[in-house]
Amino acid sequence: ERAVKPFVIGRKNWLFNHNHRGAEASAMLYSIIETARANGLIPFDYIAHCLEQLSSPNCDLNSLLPWHVKLSKA
């Protein structure tokens, strides 16, 4: 039940996806967040790390998968 609770709470927010592309973007973002959580990462830190790495040339996308990323704890 705990894994499904964010989706139940977010259900009303999904009504504001006015088109198919908005719904796809929301689904991708939720997938990234939940996969990061499932791999023991803090979603905000993981997304910040990914954006930082993606801005550099020759970024290896495989190294950005949540099960390959090791973030230091503050």
Side-chain angles (χ1 to χ4, degrees), residues 1-9 14 30 34 37-38:
E1 288 183 12
R2 288 184 187 198
V4 179
K5 189 172 182 175
F7 294 104
V8 174
I9 292 171
W14 297 337
Y30 273 108
E34 291 304 319
R37 281 187 187 155

Side-chain angles (χ1 to χ4, degrees), residues 2 9 12 14 16 20 23 25 44 46 49 57 62-63 65:
R2 288 184 187 198
I9 292 171
K12 288 185 180 179
W14 297 337
F16 297 106
H20 184 68
F44 181 85
Y46 172 67
H49 170 76
N62 194 37
S63 69
L65 295 173

Side-chain angles (χ1 to χ4, degrees), residues 33-43 46 66-67 69 71 73:
I33 290 170
E34 291 304 319
T35 304
R37 281 187 187 155
N39 285 278
L41 300 171
I42 298 170
Y46 172 67
W67 46 89
V69 172
L71 296 174
K73 305 245 178 185

Side-chain angles (χ1 to χ4, degrees), residues 5-6 11 15 22 26 31 36 41 43 45 51-52 60 68 70 74:
K5 189 172 182 175
R11 185 173 39 211
L15 295 173
S26 294
S31 294
L41 300 171
D45 295 342
L51 291 174
E52 188 177 299
D60 178 24
H68 291 207
K70 302 288 185 243

